[in-house]
Amino acid sequence: MVDIEQIRSRFIKHFDGKIGNIYAAPGRINLIGEHTDYNGGFVFPGAVDKGVVAEMRINGTEDTVMAYAIDLKDRVDFHLNDPAGPRTSWARYIYGMALEMRKLGVPVKGFNIAFSGDVPLGAGMSSSAAMESCFACGLNDLFGENKVSLWDMVLAGQATEHNYCGVNCGIMDQFASVFGKAGCLMRLDCRSREFEYFPFKPDGYRLVLLDSVVKHQLAGSPYNDRRNSCENVVKHIAEHHPEGKFETLRDCTWEQLEEVKAEVGEEDYRRAKFVLGEKDRVLAVCEALNEGDYERVGELMYQTHEGLSKDYEVSCEELDFLNDIAKENGVTGSRIMGGGFGGCTINLVRNDLYRQFIADAKKRFNEKYGHEPKVYDVIIGDGARKLC
Ligand code: GLA
């Protein structure tokens, strides 16, 4: 947990001695449904008990933001009316959120902010969405009389990634961070934006993340590249079927994908194949959960890993190794989680196998890569909120 007293003392020390309001927003896990959000498919995330906490206060200036990143001991001041904005990457999330909230009609002016977080960076748990939703929540409260809807905050967070941070992400992370509810996973249809809370208390099992501590870099990147492949396939399918409406891979069938296989090339074909399969897997997981069939949930998680590794090519050697260790230890389900290119595996493991699995993973990973993976037991927490 982030230490609120520490945030308050830094806020007082670095600014004018006055206190502000404190806001929090979480990172997320995702049980299944990876790289489906920007394809109009389904996702199955939940908020975690780790997140970002910020103290914020209006400072009376027209557009000066004074910002302090407590964990980095880094202070950046900038102007909201400066079209270039700050260069420092963490400050761009504040700048971007403020400008996106302005677009929604919130009259954002100058403010002071100090923040800290405990979502491990680069672990695929979306520390960036935690920042965005936390800042959105604060700006909505300080300047917007809390009139901006939760969905608009989600979309403003996503727009911040697109417009100021170079990641063409979907809406899963910001959605989970804003709408999260303790004890519940959420199934979201990313096309219609309808969602359902699923209380998640698997009897006899638990969820644990193993963090390879290999960092991924999504900006400017292989992530956007995957998205382009998907859009390219949709474009080709649409050309074949001028009568239809094809916005994302969600609108496309397996047969239609086969029709364009030769034109789009092997790589784009394989990527689209993964996405179509993943869309079906999320629905199958929901069914299995309704029946309490966790072994089936686990099988589907392994299938997702296989697809992300071989077809979507967003895994890496270290994560494939962790996945193999899970399999060998009889872990029910395991897969790479989040955008990929490093980060965590998410594991559904029977309580009686947990200790042995963790011990074996630590030992063997350490022998091979010279450090142990980090272990995070998943606790499903609440979404963005004002603390005080
Ligand atoms: C990142 C993005 C999300 C989603 C996942 C992959 O976390 O921010 O929108 O695409 O990758 O499922």
Side-chain angles (χ1 to χ4, degrees):
M1 275 305 284
V2 177
D3 179 357
I4 292 175
E5 287 315 313
Q6 194 210 16
I7 295 185
R8 180 132 281 170
S9 76
R10 295 299 179 281
F11 190 82
I12 291 172
K13 178 169 164 219
H14 285 275
F15 304 121
D16 53 9
K18 298 185 181 126
I19 62 167
N21 298 337
I22 299 189
Y23 307 91
R28 59 110 188 87
I29 53 141
N30 185 26
L31 184 64
I32 200 152
E34 222 62 89
H35 292 277
T36 46
D37 57 355
Y38 53 83
N39 285 301
F42 300 93
V43 291
F44 216 134
V48 289
D49 63 334
K50 301 182 194 324
V52 166
V53 179
E55 180 151 2
M56 298 168 72
R57 182 171 203 280
I58 296 178
N59 64 18
T61 66
E62 190 47 37
D63 75 328
T64 307
V65 175
M66 297 188 236
Y68 186 62
I70 296 170
D71 308 322
L72 302 170
K73 299 193 172 53
D74 193 14
R75 164 90 180 250
V76 174
D77 294 356
F78 59 88
H79 293 281
L80 293 174
N81 297 342
D82 168 7
R87 286 229 199 111
T88 310
S89 58
W90 61 261
R92 292 194 68 74
Y93 290 95
I94 302 175
Y95 173 75
M97 266 331 293
L99 264 52
E100 291 300 327
M101 293 298 275
R102 274 185 173 178
K103 285 187 197 161
L104 291 169
V106 177
V108 179
K109 296 193 168 180
F111 59 95
N112 299 344
I113 173 168
F115 70 98
S116 170
D118 61 354
V119 188
L121 296 178
M125 295 169 73
S126 211
S127 49
S128 54
M131 282 196 278
E132 287 146 12
S133 332
C134 179
F135 305 154
C137 184
L139 293 169
N140 195 20
D141 187 47
L142 289 179
F143 296 101
E145 296 169 6
N146 289 306
K147 282 191 185 145
V148 173
S149 72
L150 296 184
W151 265 114
D152 278 341
M153 292 206 283
V154 169
L155 296 171
Q158 183 194 29
T160 295
E161 295 277 357
H162 290 194
N163 300 335
Y164 310 93
C165 306
V167 181
N168 237 341
C169 65
I171 51 170
M172 168 170 72
D173 304 351
Q174 293 77 11
F175 162 78
S177 182
V178 167
F179 281 93
K181 190 154 116 180
C184 289
L185 295 179
M186 299 168 284
R187 187 187 71 183
L188 169 69
D189 178 337
C190 298
R191 183 167 66 181
S192 67
R193 296 197 194 133
E194 280 168 16
F195 68 95
E196 228 181 302
Y197 287 104
F198 266 75
F200 188 72
K201 255 193 171 226
D203 202 13
Y205 297 81
R206 64 173 88 174
L207 282 177
V208 60
L209 307 181
L210 289 189
D211 184 358
S212 63
V213 205
V214 177
K215 294 254 189 299
H216 59 187
Q217 178 57 270
L218 294 189
S221 79
Y223 178 92
N224 294 351
D225 213 57
R226 299 302 182 280
R227 184 167 184 160
N228 293 339
S229 290
C230 297
E231 287 169 0
N232 184 42
V233 172
V234 176
K235 196 178 107 225
H236 279 267
I237 291 178
E239 278 164 15
H240 278 248
H241 297 274
E243 74 292 350
K245 191 163 167 256
F246 296 91
E247 283 175 354
T248 60
L249 282 176
R250 171 77 177 273
D251 308 314
C252 306
T253 63
W254 289 99
E255 292 73 32
Q256 290 162 345
L257 174 60
E258 288 306 319
E259 278 168 23
V260 299
K261 182 173 177 181
E263 302 163 28
V264 299
E266 183 58 27
E267 191 174 77
D268 284 4
Y269 167 78
R270 269 191 286 116
R271 290 176 178 175
K273 193 179 101 188
F274 164 77
V275 171
L276 292 196
E278 187 70 352
K279 184 195 78 186
D280 295 344
R281 274 190 291 273
V282 181
L283 300 178
V285 159
C286 291
E287 231 170 78
L289 281 181
N290 282 332
E291 288 161 10
D293 186 352
Y294 295 104
E295 294 301 316
R296 174 79 185 129
V297 172
E299 263 169 45
L300 292 156
M301 290 170 74
Y302 278 116
Q303 284 176 19
T304 292
H305 185 88
E306 186 75 10
L308 285 170
S309 178
K310 304 270 158 46
D311 291 332
Y312 219 65
E313 294 177 303
V314 294
S315 186
C316 58
E317 193 195 305
E318 292 87 343
L319 288 160
D320 288 344
F321 186 57
L322 286 174
N323 188 260
D324 288 342
I325 297 177
K327 236 179 254 165
E328 286 160 27
N329 276 275
V331 168
T332 300
S334 175
R335 64 174 198 81
I336 178 172
M337 188 184 77
F341 316 105
C344 287
T345 57
I346 178 166
N347 303 275
L348 178 65
V349 53
R350 274 195 359 234
N351 287 336
D352 58 325
L353 296 177
Y354 175 86
R355 281 172 68 121
Q356 172 59 30
F357 166 50
I358 299 297
D360 193 41
K362 281 185 171 172
K363 177 165 170 287
R364 290 168 61 189
F365 197 88
N366 190 22
E367 277 165 12
K368 193 156 180 185
Y369 297 108
H371 65 88
E372 290 183 353
K374 292 195 173 145
V375 180
Y376 312 118
D377 289 308
V378 172
I379 299 173
I380 303 172
D382 281 318
R385 61 208 181 274
K386 183 176 182 172
L387 294 183
C388 58

